Amino acid sequence: MDQVSNGTQNGHLRIASVNVNGIRAAYKHGMADWLAAREVDILCLQEVRAPDAVVEGFLGEDWHLQHAEAEAKGRAGVLIASRKDSLEPTATRVGIGEDYFATTGRWVEADYVLKDSAGKDATLTVVSAYVHSGEADTPKQVDKYRFLDTMISRLPQLAAASDHALVVGDLNVGHTKLDIKNWRGNVKRAGFLPEERAYFDRFFGGEIGFKDVARELAGEVDGPYTWWSNRGQAFTNDTGWRIDYHMATPGLAALAKQAVVDRAESYESRFSDHAPLVVDYKF
């Protein structure tokens, strides 16, 4: 695991995103140790799968918490947490703006005011998002496309409303062949369908103009992957998918200095089937 010094104290803002696959299970398997060592300023979680009281019990009193709990118990749930000693949100919002998804626990936003390189106040909007996994040719896939359609509308609104906008989370789509180890065998599976990938062409293309921060920093290389199936030896062999993202407006992407996937040393030492994606931004 590659680590750098504390974010806000060094003029960096460290933002981490991870699908915890249930916060209770994640803490049982070592998430607290990871978080204590990582010096994260803003923590974004997906698939929290717990009520507010449970979340507060795990993270404690050191964090401002904005949690969008799913109405369906044990499902979804997204969270943004920022350290009380340095970053208090000026505004928070739950939901992507489409009533159909209002209680699904898949989108939460928080605004922060930071100092830019010139010492002036700049507004940063952070989103923790959890896109449906989907299933080809089923109603689950219809819901996934509906959510992605809503993102097409919401992303430009975010970019227009703040100096910087950042959408992080488990977006459940591998954008290019570099994002899935065995892409040939998955072109007809949800997560790598051509129709899904076309949305990401729009997100990262001229139409919407967000930047794929981890890809731009890593370059044209395989991965680095953020999720591995529990089947076979997928994790051990690094047969993974890159489906967790930091999607930033161009000005913010230009401030990104380092992106690290905190891949566990072994299958047994993981606290989730996803690995955290941690990015340092220079402010």
Side-chain angles (χ1 to χ4, degrees):
M1 182 188 301
D2 187 6
Q3 298 198 11
V4 294
S5 54
N6 181 284
T8 52
Q9 294 181 10
N10 263 335
H12 285 80
L13 182 72
R14 178 166 294 171
I15 302 178
S17 176
V18 58
N19 179 324
V20 293
N21 199 15
I23 195 168
R24 294 180 182 91
Y27 266 78
K28 181 180 179 181
H29 291 98
M31 179 178 167
D33 292 337
W34 166 79
L35 185 58
R38 208 56 175 98
E39 298 183 315
V40 172
D41 300 303
I42 299 177
L43 174 68
C44 297
L45 306 182
Q46 302 86 45
E47 281 203 272
V48 175
R49 298 182 183 176
D52 287 343
V54 170
V55 175
E56 292 167 2
F58 283 123
L59 286 173
E61 299 180 352
D62 296 333
W63 299 85
H64 294 288
L65 303 179
Q66 184 62 26
H67 180 211
E69 183 182 347
E71 185 176 62
K73 292 187 182 302
R75 301 289 300 277
V78 289
L79 170 77
I80 301 175
S82 59
R83 292 196 178 276
K84 284 186 177 180
D85 60 1
S86 57
L87 285 172
E88 181 176 358
T90 58
T92 58
R93 296 167 294 278
V94 171
I96 195 172
E98 160 71 85
D99 288 343
Y100 185 77
F101 300 114
T103 61
T104 59
R106 293 184 178 273
W107 190 276
V108 64
E109 303 176 0
D111 298 335
Y112 302 92
V113 175
L114 303 166
K115 296 294 184 182
D116 64 16
S117 58
K120 297 181 179 180
D121 287 347
T123 301
L124 167 67
T125 296
V126 177
V127 178
S128 181
Y130 175 46
V131 174
H132 306 64
S133 56
E135 185 177 342
D137 302 321
T138 72
K140 293 180 180 180
Q141 194 66 25
V142 174
D143 280 353
K144 185 174 188 176
Y145 287 138
R146 184 168 180 171
F147 195 88
L148 292 169
D149 281 331
T150 309
M151 286 181 66
I152 291 289
S153 300
R154 184 63 184 140
L155 291 178
Q157 295 170 353
L158 292 171
S162 294
D163 297 299
H164 303 292
L166 177 68
V167 178
V168 307
D170 176 4
L171 305 187
N172 262 315
V173 176
H175 183 205
T176 75
K177 296 174 182 178
L178 295 175
D179 297 324
I180 298 181
K181 185 67 168 288
N182 289 334
W183 65 266
R184 290 181 180 84
N186 287 288
V187 292
K188 296 183 179 180
R189 289 187 57 193
F192 201 62
L193 296 170
E195 297 87 349
E196 295 173 332
R197 295 162 60 201
Y199 281 95
F200 284 67
D201 291 340
R202 298 173 71 182
F203 295 160
F204 299 131
E207 177 183 354
I208 295 178
F210 273 62
K211 300 295 184 180
D212 183 347
V213 173
R215 172 56 66 212
E216 295 208 350
L217 290 173
E220 296 298 300
V221 300
D222 291 338
Y225 308 120
T226 61
W227 175 81
W228 301 262
S229 169
N230 287 322
R231 297 177 180 177
Q233 299 292 313
F235 182 82
T236 302
N237 296 330
D238 200 21
T239 304
W241 297 50
R242 192 181 74 95
I243 55 177
D244 299 87
Y245 292 82
H246 277 228
M247 294 174 46
T249 45
L252 180 61
L255 301 178
K257 301 305 178 184
Q258 178 176 251
V260 177
V261 175
D262 283 352
R263 187 177 187 273
E265 294 182 0
S266 67
Y267 180 91
E268 293 75 18
S269 62
R270 303 182 308 164
F271 64 81
S272 172
D273 54 350
H274 290 253
L277 174 59
V278 185
V279 180
D280 289 339
Y281 297 89
K282 178 70 174 178
F283 276 92

